[in-house]
Amino acid sequence: MTDVVSVDPRTGDPVEVVAQETTPAEVDALCAAAAAAAPGLEALGRDGRADLLDTLADALETRRSDVVAVADRETGLGPARLNGELTRTCFQLRLFGEVLREGSYVEATVDHAGDTPMGPRPDLRRMLVPLGPVAVFGASNFPLAFSVPGGDTAAALAVGCPVVVKAHGSHPATSELVAEVLTTAASKAGAPDGTIGLVHGLAAGAALVAAPQIRAVGFTGSPAGATALMEIIDRRPEPIPFFGELAGLNPVVVTPAAAAERGADLGAGLVGSFTLGGGQFCTKPGLTLLPAGPDGDTVLDAMAAAVRDAPTPVLLNEGIAGNYRGISARLRALPGVSTIAEGADDTSGGFTAAPLLLAADGLQDGLTDECFGPLGVVVRYDDEAALSALLAELPSSLTATVLCGAGETELPGAVAAALRPRAGRILFDAFPTGVAVSWAQTHGGPWPSTNTQHTSVGPTAVRRFLRPVTWQDAPAELLPPELADGPAGIPRRVDGALVLP
């Protein structure tokens, strides 16, 4: 058996053996337990599962100091960042509870029997029901909000799908601790055994995706990892949906008016955004399109000064640190690319990375690849025609940002129209690092940012783990409460008309 080792990224040293990699037999047992738990979890009903999510959030809050301490030791992200992330994690658990109690997510629809222009219609009643057990893959850069207790787990549990989580190797001790907290709390809330499971190791992750009991996969990670898992799904006798939140360049366009009005502030803000969390946000703005001329120079000079003054971050693991060094070196070697500024490189040990600002003469193959870490690239444009040509070359991303002048609408409108086919979220006069958990949020976009039309953040993320079922001419006693005649307590569409509770 292979040890699962927890490493301190600040030193690069192993700290403890957390567990053993999960064997194929253990994966099978966890998946079988999840399948057995599914009917009981659904039977808790919307109110029961809402109470479950509240209980999970309360349990995490109770263990806050322990969870943050372990996560900080494994990630180097710092207590302030991790306390904020835990608050977000608890918030989204409770928000999904509110979604359950409100009930519109089931899309309850009743069409009574009757005559239609096409002839008699049977009694038809439709709603969304849970898919079944879901495999969740934790992300390296958010050990709480996108990991064992994160949004995918919350969304799946909310709609009645047990989860088996593949722990990320960057924070196995955090994953073990949080899984223990959640499973204990779930049992207290009346959830059946098998509602939450945890596996370790790459082979266990592959076996998890191949397990016949798993009905969907939620993944946050790299396109390469997503491709490998999708290939496993393609080999399954029965394919299942894969919902991946993957990568993005997240371009930022600075208009000439914005550069003229507040160039220094924009430069400092851009660097603060692409170095936040060590540049390890999937929404990190990796490319800035900046106007040529003195006003653009002001922005670039401020960016250079901010990079030189930026602290040297600790990256999450050895692989990310190695990739950062390799990709940044390759980018520097591209034709027409120059180094504008570089932060101090801490050689004291650990997985550190020097912040880096590059400038390029234009876009080319390789320049728009994502570089996870504190690196930003600037490309200058001479006029609107040149900017339009650059926008047409951009790959798709999770976000796209327009920084514009006060009252300016014409150019920002044209830029936003060009960016809309390439992004899931378009920002105006803000920085993309930060994804609010809200009904209106979209955390997704065209490939390679995701492989799906659904968001992975916010209440509508539950739609990934549901499927529609229609009851035709069903006896009243066999209908779900949401589809029964009389007041249902949730929004419904009845005979074509929206009926509110």
Side-chain angles (χ1 to χ4, degrees), residues 334-385:
L334 289 174
V337 173
S338 57
T339 299
I340 301 299
E342 187 170 5
D345 193 1
D346 185 347
T347 59
S348 62
F351 308 135
T352 57
L356 184 62
L357 179 63
L358 305 178
D361 292 341
L363 298 180
Q364 58 180 294
D365 288 344
L367 187 70
T368 57
D369 293 343
E370 182 183 36
C371 181
F372 215 52
L375 180 146
V377 176
V378 172
V379 173
R380 308 293 290 269
Y381 64 89
D382 292 320
D383 51 29
E384 291 185 25

Side-chain angles (χ1 to χ4, degrees), residues 184-214:
T184 301
S187 179
K188 176 183 176 182
D193 292 343
T195 293
I196 301 168
L198 183 70
V199 304
H200 292 276
L202 293 177
L208 178 61
V209 172
Q213 299 92 341
I214 296 299

